[in-house]
Amino acid sequence: MSFRFNMITLAMAVAATPAMAANFGVGNANTDTVNTHQYECQRCTAPSGYTGEISVHAGFNDVSDIHAGNALGTAEDGFVGAVSGDLRYQGDAGYQAQVRAHQLGMDNGFAHFSAGQSGLYNVTLDYDAIKTYRAGEVESPLWHNNGMLTPSDTANVFDLALRREKVAIGAEFEQDIYQAFVKYSHEEKTGTQSSSLVSPSPINFGLPVDARTQQLDAGLNLSGDNWITELSYYGSYYKNDIDHLSLPDAYDVYAATPDNQAHQVSLSGQYQLNRTYMSGRIVTGRMIQDDDLIQMSGNPLQNWDGQVDTLDGRLAVTSMVNNRFRVGASYDYSKRDNKSSTAEFMQYNFNSITGAFRQNVPQDFERNTYKVNASYRIASGYRLQAGYDRKEVERTYSDREQTHDDSFWMKFNVRAFDNFNVNLKAEHANHGGSEYQANEQTSSEDNSLMRKYYLADRTRNAVELRVNHTPTDWMSLDVTARYALDDYDETQVGLTESKDYGYDINLNLAFNQHVNGYLFAGQQWIDSKQAGSQSYASPDWYADIEDQFINIGSGLSYGGLMQDKLTLGLDYLFSNSFSDTYITTDGTSPYDDYYSYSHSASLYADYAIDEQMAVKLSYRYERYLDTDDANVGANDIPGMITLGDINHNYNAHQVMLSFTYKL
């Protein structure tokens, strides 16, 4: 899972949890990795003892849709509470410890503990909880009973939500030129997600999730004055506790996610020779999947003996030829050797059996990437960079077994003007390869004119402009504009064109020592064109897809009130996205569109009781709406079992009172 943060997200997080506010004081510097045991100060003494702060949060949620939990940190309706903090201990001889926590007690939070002696050892213990919500109180006529999907007149009500809980313990050791680390983590993933099958009509249902992932990382590195090398191991073990699903009249109609494991051994290093830096890495690995298969007529395999061996490598060199000119080059290699089991399978031609047998083919993958670049300082404040990248990919048993990408790019940076910084980047790229053909092993039922977008010939032209302007010492402005055009000029059936363009504007204001504000706005447009054929011949229908996204945010804080004890703040974010699809055959007809928007606002008042204690009162609000035509009612389509209309339309409120104590 990935996370995207922006200024409004950070501002709201800080407003909700005072303990997480940034503090750039020297006493809060991160010295966990600094070797200080050989330093000795004759005129000064390092501060020792406890520092930091702890916060207790208590509040009330007014939540009518659990989807609001993605923004509020928890979907609980009613009273909510949490604990946050950042405590540090500094002792003699480099002994130190730290405890950090964020929103412990809510659905999303973390805790971190570390202790050790600087430059010798350090042990860590981590806990993370992440819960994502899709929809609440979903109704389905199917009930789960020990792997059996059983129809019932009484609806099964559940939430579409996933929760991850992860615990990790690690240790680091350091002695002279030797360093070693080991870390073990255990993650549990539970909840319910939407899924579907056809037996014989479409069935949508809630799939239970109960899986565990264990991760083990360990490594040893050596370092010298101008070199460093590391040997490490990474292992992952996945176990799914949900077995295959069945219907009363058909067994094993839905295959469970199989157990699997992956292992990697890596050797890397870096060496500096004068003004030349060289680095390299080689990684060998193996992915294993060996679970029983669902038995069916025509399947000769009892279990899937899946194995993929991997080999990755990288070599990079960069050198300062002189004070103006720098050159660099790199080579990356990646190979996936599929050694999974093969067998003869009965072949199906649509709904009839041909009587022919065919062997499943394990597909291999090999990639070579070459990059060269140069940077030249034309004059003070003017720098020009240029480079050439080439990627070669070979896929066995594919429509196109060999493809290559060639990219030429150039960057021009200007810092010569007072209060201005300008960056311009331009790129021209081509994607081509060997002869494209639909073969018997891959896509014999495909239209011979169809081209898959990731294999088709493509020409790309892109440009990006970034400008930073600081007209005064209390104002800064950042503007980014970008445009990219992908032209699939050899494609008759498939994606034929795609345009991606947009802009971002960020304005930061510091009117005086008490009043600060910000404003940002961004828009993105993605326009795509594709052609299709219902007759498996020349194109006879066309589609125009228009996607638009917008984000607007602002914030203001006013401090210095009541003898510098009170600070008032406001943050606001509006986001909107929608997608329109137009189909052209004999005429033009639009699809039902997808549309969503969200208003988020936060108000807070932070009052310092004294130098050690503070209270904060905050209010958060979210207005959310989305309409996805793919979500249909339970009885809207005859013969189809659905999860109903799970779109969202709600208002959510949160009031939070926080008490912070500083040591």
Side-chain angles (χ1 to χ4, degrees):
M1 180 173 300
S2 64
F3 297 88
R4 289 178 288 184
F5 293 94
N6 51 37
M7 295 178 65
I8 185 71
T9 307
L10 180 60
M12 286 186 171
V14 173
T17 55
M20 301 305 295
N23 188 338
F24 298 102
V26 174
N28 291 276
N30 184 2
T31 60
D32 294 341
T33 60
V34 178
N35 186 348
T36 61
H37 72 284
Q38 294 182 348
Y39 294 118
E40 182 178 1
C41 181
Q42 301 293 339
R43 297 187 178 182
C44 60
T45 58
S48 60
Y50 295 92
T51 59
E53 58 189 27
I54 185 170
S55 299
V56 179
H57 316 288
F60 186 85
N61 275 358
D62 181 8
V63 175
S64 59
D65 190 319
I66 68 169
H67 187 272
N70 297 318
L72 301 181
T74 180
E76 292 292 331
D77 189 30
F79 175 81
V80 295
V83 176
S84 302
D86 187 354
L87 302 177
R88 298 170 183 264
Y89 170 76
Q90 183 70 47
D92 299 332
Y95 289 102
Q96 56 189 22
Q98 181 183 21
V99 178
R100 288 190 295 121
H102 175 59
Q103 289 188 343
L104 282 183
M106 291 192 178
D107 293 333
N108 294 275
F110 70 82
H112 167 79
F113 168 78
S114 64
Q117 187 175 7
S118 181
L120 293 179
Y121 69 91
N122 191 60
V123 295
T124 60
L125 181 63
D126 292 276
Y127 169 80
D128 290 274
I130 300 174
K131 191 168 185 178
T132 55
Y133 301 92
R134 182 180 177 189
E137 298 183 351
V138 177
E139 296 186 0
S140 172
L142 298 176
W143 287 78
H144 292 276
N145 184 13
N146 294 326
M148 183 71 69
L149 292 173
T150 306
S152 174
D153 294 335
T154 304
N156 177 25
V157 181
F158 54 89
D159 294 336
L160 289 179
L162 294 176
R163 178 174 176 83
R164 296 174 182 263
E165 284 190 290
K166 184 177 181 179
V167 177
I169 184 171
E172 300 176 3
F173 305 93
E174 180 178 347
Q175 185 67 42
D176 297 328
I177 66 172
Y178 302 95
Q179 294 180 342
F181 70 90
V182 61
K183 185 176 183 179
Y184 169 79
S185 65
H186 178 91
E187 181 183 80
E188 293 188 358
K189 182 179 180 182
T190 57
T192 306
Q193 65 184 20
S194 62
S195 192
S196 62
L197 58 88
V198 178
S199 181
S201 59
I203 298 175
N204 296 274
F205 61 95
L207 176 66
V209 176
D210 187 2
R212 301 186 304 273
T213 301
Q214 300 180 75
Q215 178 82 28
L216 177 62
D217 304 334
L220 173 68
N221 65 67
L222 309 175
S223 59
D225 293 336
N226 57 352
W227 61 273
I228 184 172
T229 184
E230 180 179 295
L231 177 65
S232 55
Y233 164 80
Y234 303 94
S236 176
Y237 307 83
Y238 173 84
K239 173 68 175 177
N240 185 14
D241 290 335
I242 300 297
D243 205 351
H244 308 311
L245 300 182
S246 302
L247 292 171
D249 57 347
Y251 286 94
D252 293 338
V253 295
Y254 190 92
T257 302
D259 300 343
N260 59 79
Q261 54 184 280
H263 308 269
Q264 278 190 335
V265 177
S266 171
L267 177 63
S268 60
Q270 180 174 308
Y271 180 75
Q272 177 185 353
L273 178 62
N274 297 327
R275 305 177 74 176
T276 300
Y277 298 85
M278 294 169 284
S279 62
R281 180 182 68 249
I282 184 169
V283 184
T284 180
R286 174 167 293 180
M287 297 180 287
I288 302 172
Q289 178 182 307
D290 189 15
D291 258 9
D292 292 338
L293 296 176
I294 291 178
Q295 298 305 306
M296 57 183 296
S297 177
N299 178 19
L301 296 179
Q302 299 297 315
N303 71 310
W304 178 251
D305 185 16
Q307 176 180 316
V308 177
D309 292 340
T310 65
L311 180 63
D312 297 89
R314 174 178 172 81
L315 178 64
V317 179
T318 180
S319 179
M320 291 290 297
V321 180
N322 53 47
N323 293 334
R324 290 176 176 265
F325 188 46
R326 186 193 67 195
V327 295
S330 66
Y331 168 69
D332 290 85
Y333 176 80
S334 179
K335 183 177 182 180
R336 301 292 182 266
D337 187 5
N338 195 336
K339 296 184 177 180
S340 302
S341 56
T342 61
E344 296 287 337
F345 290 85
M346 179 73 75
Q347 292 303 293
Y348 291 83
N349 183 10
F350 295 96
N351 293 322
S352 63
I353 299 178
T354 65
F357 285 84
R358 185 179 300 156
Q359 188 179 67
N360 66 302
V361 290
Q363 294 187 326
D364 298 330
F365 174 92
E366 187 174 10
R367 180 179 62 216
N368 293 275
T369 304
Y370 312 88
K371 296 182 180 181
V372 293
N373 60 82
S375 174
Y376 183 72
R377 182 167 57 86
I378 303 172
S380 178
Y382 296 88
R383 182 177 295 275
L384 180 65
Q385 302 177 65
Y388 166 69
D389 304 338
R390 179 177 175 86
K391 180 172 67 175
E392 299 174 347
V393 179
E394 183 174 347
R395 307 172 179 87
T396 60
Y397 305 109
S398 175
D399 294 342
R400 202 174 199 178
E401 294 196 350
Q402 295 179 344
T403 61
H404 59 261
D405 289 88
D406 296 283
S407 174
F408 299 89
W409 56 268
M410 181 176 295
K411 297 180 181 179
F412 185 55
N413 175 243
V414 179
R415 298 175 179 267
F417 304 107
D418 292 339
N419 304 323
F420 266 101
N421 185 5
V422 181
N423 290 274
L424 177 64
K425 179 182 179 180
E427 179 188 11
H428 174 76
N430 286 289
H431 183 274
S434 59
E435 181 181 358
Y436 196 106
Q437 57 183 0
N439 60 65
E440 295 182 354
Q441 300 287 0
T442 55
S443 54
S444 58
E445 290 87 9
D446 288 343
N447 187 340
S448 60
L449 297 178
M450 190 183 74
R451 299 293 182 263
K452 299 175 182 177
Y453 74 95
Y454 64 93
L455 297 175
D457 289 344
R458 183 203 66 213
T459 300
R460 168 175 292 178
N461 291 289
V463 62
E464 181 180 83
L465 175 65
R466 295 176 178 268
V467 178
N468 172 261
H469 180 42
T470 309
T472 67
D473 58 358
W474 54 271
M475 176 187 297
S476 66
L477 175 67
D478 295 285
V479 180
T480 301
R482 56 194 175 275
Y483 177 87
L485 173 63
D486 291 342
D487 187 5
Y488 300 84
D489 50 1
E490 299 295 329
T491 297
Q492 297 185 53
V493 177
L495 183 63
T496 59
E497 182 182 283
S498 177
K499 289 189 291 185
D500 185 345
Y501 54 99
Y503 69 87
D504 293 295
I505 299 175
N506 291 276
L507 177 65
N508 292 284
L509 304 168
F511 299 103
N512 54 51
Q513 61 177 339
H514 299 302
V515 182
N516 295 277
Y518 66 87
L519 173 68
F520 68 85
Q523 282 187 274
Q524 182 183 15
W525 295 267
I526 302 177
D527 299 334
S528 304
K529 298 180 181 294
Q530 68 180 64
S533 175
Q534 290 184 315
S535 60
Y536 288 88
S538 300
D540 53 26
W541 63 267
Y542 303 88
D544 293 287
I545 305 168
E546 299 176 353
D547 299 322
Q548 298 186 35
F549 311 89
I550 182 172
N551 288 280
I552 300 174
S554 63
L556 182 68
S557 66
Y558 190 171
L561 302 172
M562 299 181 65
Q563 299 179 345
D564 291 339
K565 290 187 175 183
L566 178 64
T567 299
L568 302 177
L570 165 67
D571 295 291
Y572 170 76
L573 171 65
F574 170 74
S575 60
N576 185 17
S577 65
F578 59 92
S579 177
D580 291 326
T581 301
Y582 299 90
I583 303 296
T584 302
T585 52
D586 296 334
T588 300
S589 59
Y591 275 3
D592 289 334
D593 59 2
Y594 174 84
Y595 178 81
S596 69
Y597 72 81
S598 172
H599 295 273
S600 299
S602 174
L603 297 169
Y604 64 90
D606 194 344
Y607 181 77
I609 301 174
D610 54 31
E611 293 182 354
Q612 289 184 299
M613 294 183 291
V615 293
K616 172 180 279 190
L617 180 63
S618 61
Y619 166 73
R620 298 181 65 182
Y621 167 79
E622 182 185 39
R623 170 75 176 108
Y624 186 89
L625 170 70
D626 63 13
T627 59
D628 186 354
D629 189 57
N631 297 321
V632 296
N635 301 312
D636 289 356
I637 302 178
M640 176 183 289
I641 297 177
T642 76
L643 296 178
D645 186 353
I646 55 176
N647 290 316
H648 307 283
N649 183 5
Y650 64 85
N651 295 277
H653 309 265
Q654 182 184 82
V655 178
M656 187 74 71
L657 180 64
S658 303
F659 173 78
T660 301
Y661 182 80
K662 185 176 182 180
L663 299 180

